[in-house]
Amino acid sequence: MRADRLVSLVLLLRQRGRLSAATLARELEVSTRTVLRDIEALSSAGVPVYAERGRHGGFALLPGFHTELTGLNHDEALALLISGSRRGSQAFGLGSALASAMLKVVDALPEGHRDSAAGAAQRLLIDPETDLLSRRVVAEEVPDAVVTEVRRAVFAGHKLRIHYAAVDQAPKWRTVDPIGLVTVRGQGYLLATRSGADRTYRLARVLAAEELDEPAQRPDQVDLDRAWQERSTRFRTGGDQVAVLVRVNPARREDLVSTALAVRTEETDADGWLRLEVTFQDSRHAEWALWQLTTNAEALAPQWLRTSLRDRAAAIATCYGVSS
C-alpha cells in the first residue's frame, strides 16, 4: 500500500543516507517513476527530501530530520496504512483512529515543517461528499460495535457469528470464517467462507456480530485483490442476469457502461453511434438503466425490454398530455 511504501522510503533514506532513484526503486520493488511521485508526495507533506544531481547524486533527507512516531496504537497504525482512502477508514470504523494518528504524525515533524504540512493538507480534498453535479456520494453507516467485532475476528483469525439481513430474507445468524475486508465506493464488504464455500457479506446488512474463540478455517496468506476480482466475476456472470443489445450515443457511453455489470461486445455503427451488448443484474436493473438515458440510447433486444420502455413512455405522455 502507498502509505506503507512512503514510510519505507523515509526509513531507507534515514538509515542509508543518499540513494539514487534506481536504488530506491529496486529496494521498494516499484518503478523509478513511482519513486519520483512518492518523493514529490513526501515533499508536499513537509518531509525535507532534496535531490543532488550529478554522477553520484540521488535523494536524501536534510541533516537533523527525524521522526518519532511514538504513542501510535494498533488502530492508528492500521488507519495510516489505509489512509489512501478516507472512505475506507470510515467503512472499517477507523475514522477517529486516523484523525488521532495524523495529529501524531504532524507532531513528529520538525517544528519548521509543521506549518508547511498543515498548509499542504488544506490544499488537498480527497473523496468529497458530492461530485460536480452535486450528486451525493453515499457511504454506508455501520455501527462501530459491529465493525469492530468483525475487524477483530478478521485480524485474530477467529470464527465469526453475524446476524445478517440478506435481501428479501428475514435476518438470521450465520457462523463464518472471515478472510478479509474490502471497501468499494464507500461500501464495506466482508469476504468469508461458510462451510468451505465463498461468501461475500455487505457490512451494512450485518445487524450484530460476535467474535468466537474457535480458529477460523482459512489459508495463512491471502491475495484480497485477486479474491475480490474472482468474486466480482462470479457475481457478474451468475444469477438472473439479462443480456441487452443497445445502441447508444457515444457521449453517453460511460453512463451506460457504469450501470451495467459487464460489456460483452462493442462496435460502431455507420452513423457513429455505438452498438453494445451489455449485461444487467435483472430485468428491473436493465429497464432502469436504459430509462435514464432517454433518447440517447435504444434497446434493440430483447423485445420485452423495448415493450416495457415503450409502455412506460406512453404512460408518461398520457400523464402530461394537454388537458381538455
Side-chain angles (χ1 to χ4, degrees):
M1 301 177 70
R2 192 185 186 205
D4 189 38
R5 191 175 67 241
L6 292 177
V7 172
S8 297
L9 196 158
V10 171
L11 292 177
L12 281 171
L13 294 178
R14 281 189 58 196
Q15 296 168 5
R16 296 167 57 180
R18 184 175 60 250
L19 294 172
S20 68
T23 300
L24 288 169
R26 185 170 59 254
E27 292 287 342
L28 299 172
E29 298 182 344
V30 296
S31 67
T32 54
R33 180 176 297 181
T34 297
V35 167
L36 295 177
R37 285 199 299 263
D38 287 350
I39 292 290
E40 182 178 0
L42 288 172
S43 180
S44 298
V47 178
V49 183
Y50 70 98
E52 289 186 353
R53 302 190 181 280
R55 181 179 178 184
H56 301 291
F59 296 99
L61 296 169
L62 284 178
F65 174 76
H66 68 282
T67 59
E68 294 181 358
L69 299 182
T70 57
L72 284 180
N73 62 37
H74 176 270
D75 282 355
E76 290 171 344
L78 180 63
L80 282 178
L81 292 178
I82 63 171
S83 61
S85 169
R86 178 173 60 86
R87 296 192 183 279
S89 299
Q90 297 294 339
F92 298 148
L94 292 167
S96 60
L98 177 60
S100 63
M102 293 310 295
L103 288 175
K104 292 179 181 180
V105 170
V106 172
D107 188 62
L109 292 174
E111 186 173 353
H113 297 287
R114 291 175 190 167
D115 291 341
S116 62
Q122 293 176 359
R123 304 288 179 178
L124 301 173
L125 176 62
I126 301 173
D127 286 344
E129 293 186 353
T130 61
D131 63 13
L132 287 176
L133 299 179
S134 295
R135 295 175 297 197
R136 188 174 181 84
V137 179
V138 180
E140 295 180 331
E141 296 292 334
V142 183
D144 287 344
V146 169
V147 73
T148 298
E149 201 73 6
V150 172
R151 197 172 69 238
R152 286 175 178 169
V154 169
F155 296 152
H158 291 166
K159 286 185 178 292
L160 177 71
R161 289 186 72 234
I162 56 175
H163 195 214
Y164 191 73
V167 178
D168 299 328
Q169 295 182 25
K172 59 183 178 181
W173 286 95
R174 298 169 167 84
T175 298
V176 302
D177 296 295
I179 293 175
L181 293 166
V182 176
T183 178
V184 181
R185 296 180 182 177
Q187 298 177 351
Y189 298 88
L190 167 67
L191 272 58
T193 60
R194 185 177 175 214
S195 300
D198 288 345
R199 294 289 185 268
T200 303
Y201 300 100
R202 198 158 166 174
L203 290 181
R205 293 177 181 154
V206 179
L207 306 180
E210 177 187 359
E211 177 191 0
L212 304 179
D213 293 332
E214 183 180 355
Q217 299 300 311
R218 66 181 192 181
D220 294 333
Q221 301 294 326
V222 62
D223 185 342
L224 271 187
D225 186 62
R226 180 178 178 180
W228 178 256
Q229 292 298 329
E230 290 175 349
R231 295 183 187 208
S232 297
T233 299
R234 288 198 296 270
F235 176 79
R236 290 193 303 267
T237 58
D240 300 323
Q241 296 174 12
V242 296
V244 175
L245 182 62
V246 57
R247 270 173 40 88
V248 63
N249 185 327
R252 301 298 300 276
R253 177 192 181 280
E254 292 307 313
D255 294 327
L256 171 67
V257 171
S258 65
T259 59
L261 293 179
V263 178
R264 293 183 176 179
T265 62
E266 180 174 350
E267 59 185 28
T268 304
D269 282 347
D271 59 0
W273 275 43
L274 303 175
R275 184 180 296 249
L276 291 84
E277 183 181 5
V278 294
T279 57
F280 294 101
Q281 185 60 37
D282 51 34
S283 58
R284 290 197 306 172
H285 182 198
E287 183 176 346
W288 172 85
L290 270 295
W291 181 257
Q292 309 307 307
L293 297 174
T294 63
T295 57
N296 286 294
E298 178 189 2
L300 302 177
Q303 183 58 45
W304 63 260
L305 180 57
R306 292 178 57 86
T307 301
S308 180
L309 290 169
R310 182 199 63 200
D311 292 346
R312 177 182 283 202
I316 292 290
T318 300
C319 179
Y320 290 98
V322 178
S323 301
S324 57

